[in-house]
Amino acid sequence: KATNSLGSATATSAGTKLVSWSSSAFASATLTASKSTRPGISLSVPTPGSNLKLQKLVMSLPKGISWAAGKRALAAGISVRDLRRKRLAFKVALSHGNLTLTFKKPPTGAKLTVARGLVSISSALQSRIQSHKAKSEKLSLTLDYTGKPPRRGAVKFRLA
């Protein structure tokens, strides 16, 4: 029902279909110092609303970028903070090139930093970056929230 100075009117609409999630619409990722062969990663996943808590985050790197360290080195070189900048505790798993972070106290959103040297870039991608032919690459994300099905999507890495 809408009302203004000219009067009021009522209208009925059909039910809204499920709104699809677009990770690129709200998550952002930067491959820091991408012109070196050993860059770092910066990833931001703000809260999607509805008091959802992020239980697990899975990152699959694009072709040409790989993890240059094992599980222990990655765990030591990853910093995760909630949206209030409080450090978060998490468990790390590395399997088939996928990095999985499981949060001990799920946050509503997170900012993740992977230290330089824990990611490596292939020489082919390195050449494309240095010649400015590659401005971004796709990072696949799977986000598991409490009480909801996993959300999967791709975020473009900004190469900086």
Side-chain angles (χ1 to χ4, degrees):
K1 183 175 183 179
T3 304
N4 65 18
S5 61
L6 300 174
S8 66
T10 303
T12 305
S13 68
T16 304
K17 291 186 179 182
L18 178 66
V19 177
S20 63
W21 176 76
S22 169
S23 56
S24 61
F26 84 93
S28 62
T30 303
L31 193 63
T32 57
S34 59
K35 293 190 178 180
S36 75
T37 57
R38 307 285 266 204
I41 296 174
S42 176
L43 174 68
S44 179
V45 182
T47 181
S50 303
N51 295 323
L52 294 175
K53 302 279 186 173
L54 183 61
Q55 290 181 308
K56 189 186 299 183
L57 181 144
V58 181
M59 282 193 288
S60 303
L61 296 176
K63 185 177 180 179
I65 303 173
S66 60
W67 301 110
K71 180 178 149 181
R72 283 195 173 147
L74 281 168
I78 295 174
S79 170
V80 184
R81 297 187 182 272
D82 67 12
L83 299 177
R84 294 184 188 118
R85 297 186 178 194
K86 182 180 175 190
R87 188 180 271 296
L88 297 172
F90 57 90
K91 289 190 320 184
V92 173
L94 185 59
S95 176
H96 303 290
N98 295 328
L99 178 70
T100 302
L101 303 180
T102 304
F103 299 101
K104 293 184 179 177
K105 289 186 178 180
T108 55
K111 291 190 181 281
L112 177 139
T113 303
V114 177
R116 285 189 63 188
L118 299 179
V119 178
S120 64
I121 296 179
S122 71
S123 58
L125 180 57
Q126 183 70 24
S127 296
R128 288 182 40 224
I129 291 169
Q130 289 178 338
S131 67
H132 302 290
K133 289 180 182 172
K135 300 230 187 282
S136 64
E137 293 292 322
K138 284 189 179 177
L139 166 71
S140 296
L141 287 179
T142 301
L143 305 173
D144 289 350
Y145 289 96
T146 53
K148 299 287 181 184
R151 297 174 181 213
R152 291 179 177 83
V155 175
K156 283 192 175 181
F157 261 130
R158 186 172 62 85
L159 303 174

